[in-house]
C-alpha cells in the first residue's frame, strides 16, 4: 500500500496507520477486522526535503530526527527503514522518456485506429536530449510527462484529429529545429 506525500494526510490517518503498522490489522467501529499482514506499507514525503537531500544514504537517525518535526516519533519508529530518494539520472530519464512516448503513441494509435510511427533519427535523439537536459531532475518524472504530452503527443493528436484522408499510417519526424513534422513519404517498418 502506497501513501504518497503522507505529510498531507489528515491527522486521523496517522492513528489508523499506527494500528496497521503495529498490529498488522485494522478494526472498525463494528469490530470488523481487516488484515494487513501480507502487505507492504510504503509512505513517501517531501517534508524537510531541503534538509534531507544533502544527507548520505546511511543517515537514518538524522533523517528521523528531522522528520520528527513533522511526524510523531512513534509513527516513524514503526517503519523498518527510512530511505532517501535520489534524483533521477539522465539515463533513467531517457528510459522513462522512451517508455512514455511509446505508451502514449500506442494509445493514440489504438484510439484513432491508425498506425503512428515516429522516426528515431539524430533529430529525434537531439530532441530527447534537449528535453531531458532542460529538466530539473529533482522534479522527477511528472515534469517529463508534462513536456512529452505538450511537445509531442498533443502535436500528434492535433494532426490526427485534423486529418482529412483515410490513411492507415502516419509517419512523424523531428526537423533540425526540433519541431514535429509529418512525412509525406512511406516508411518501411522493417
Amino acid at each position: 500500500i502506497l501513501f504518497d506525500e503522507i505529510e498531507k494526510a489528515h491527522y486521523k490517518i496517522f492513528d489508523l496507520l499506527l494500528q496497521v503498522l503495529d498490529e498488522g490489522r485494522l478494526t472498525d467501529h463494528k469490530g470488523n477486522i481487516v488484515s494487513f499482514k501480507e502487505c507492504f506499507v510504503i509512505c513517501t514525503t517531501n517534508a524537510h526535503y531541503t534538509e534531507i537531500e544533502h544527507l548520505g544514504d546511511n543517515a537514518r537517525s538524522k533523517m528521523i530526527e528531522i522528520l520528527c518535526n513533522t511526524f510523531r516519533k512513534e509513527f516513524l519508529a514503526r517503519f523498518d527503514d527510512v530511505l532517501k530518494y535520489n534524483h533521477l539520472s539522465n539515463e533513467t530519464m531517457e528510459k522513462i522518456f522512451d517508455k512514455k512516448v511509446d505508451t502514449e503513441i500506442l494509445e493514440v494509435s489504438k484510439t484513432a485506429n491508425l498506425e503512428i510511427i515516429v522516426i528515431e533519427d539524430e533529430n529525434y535523439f537531439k530532441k530527447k536530449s534537449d528535453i531531458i537536459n532542460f529538466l530539473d531532475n529533482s522534479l522527477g518524472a511528472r515534469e517529463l510527462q508534462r513536456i512529452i504530452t505538450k511537445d509531442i503527443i498533443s502535436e500528434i493528436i492535433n494532426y490526427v484529429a485534423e486529418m482529412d484522408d483515410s490513411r492507415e499510417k502516419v509517419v512523424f519526424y523531428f526537423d533540425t529545429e526540433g519541431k514535429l513534422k509529418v512525412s509525406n513519404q512511406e516508411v518501411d517498418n522493417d
Side-chain angles (χ1 to χ4, degrees):
I1 302 171
L2 173 65
F3 294 92
D4 192 22
E5 298 183 9
I6 190 71
E7 73 275 10
K8 296 177 182 177
H10 191 277
Y11 73 93
K12 290 183 179 180
I13 295 296
F14 293 101
D15 292 335
L16 293 172
L17 278 173
L18 282 173
Q19 183 183 358
V20 169
L21 295 170
D22 194 38
E23 301 171 18
R25 63 189 175 125
L26 192 58
T27 307
D28 70 8
H29 68 285
K30 294 181 180 179
N32 297 318
I33 297 172
V34 177
S35 175
F36 288 84
K37 292 195 184 291
E38 301 293 324
C39 295
F40 288 98
V41 176
I42 300 171
C43 298
T44 68
T45 183
N46 292 321
H48 307 284
Y49 169 76
T50 55
E51 297 169 59
I52 291 173
E53 76 172 324
H54 71 278
L55 297 175
D57 290 334
N58 296 322
R60 184 181 196 280
S61 60
K62 184 65 177 167
M63 284 191 278
I64 288 179
E65 180 183 320
I66 293 169
L67 290 171
C68 280
N69 293 317
T70 301
F71 304 105
R72 296 189 317 228
K73 194 167 191 161
E74 65 266 22
F75 174 72
L76 294 172
R78 299 292 197 293
F79 288 94
D80 292 335
D81 209 348
V82 176
L83 305 172
K84 180 181 72 125
Y85 276 105
N86 293 318
H87 297 297
L88 296 172
S89 69
N90 280 359
E91 181 182 322
T92 301
M93 293 293 266
E94 286 179 14
K95 289 177 183 175
I96 293 169
F97 180 94
D98 292 338
K99 184 161 180 65
K100 289 288 184 189
V101 168
D102 290 347
T103 302
E104 295 286 335
I105 288 174
L106 183 62
E107 186 75 24
V108 174
S109 291
K110 286 181 181 177
T111 302
N113 196 26
L114 179 72
E115 183 180 1
I116 297 174
I117 298 170
V118 176
I119 297 174
E120 295 185 10
D121 61 3
E122 64 186 48
N123 292 333
Y124 171 87
F125 292 112
K126 183 180 181 319
K127 177 69 173 181
K128 177 167 74 168
S129 177
D130 288 349
I131 288 172
I132 290 168
N133 290 329
F134 170 76
L135 288 175
D136 177 357
N137 287 4
S138 68
L139 297 175
R142 286 187 184 123
E143 181 68 4
L144 180 60
Q145 173 67 37
R146 187 188 67 73
I147 291 172
I148 289 169
T149 299
K150 181 178 134 309
D151 289 357
I152 300 172
I153 304 305
S154 292
E155 294 291 323
I156 291 173
I157 290 171
N158 289 338
Y159 179 81
V160 169
E162 294 174 7
M163 278 179 27
D164 59 358
D165 57 28
S166 59
R167 284 189 273 181
E168 295 179 0
K169 177 174 26 177
V170 180
V171 179
F172 292 90
Y173 67 95
F174 288 96
D175 67 13
T176 56
E177 303 294 315
K179 302 285 187 217
L180 193 65
K181 302 287 184 181
V182 179
S183 175
N184 292 325
Q185 300 173 1
E186 287 291 314
V187 173
D188 191 12
N189 285 355
D190 299 332

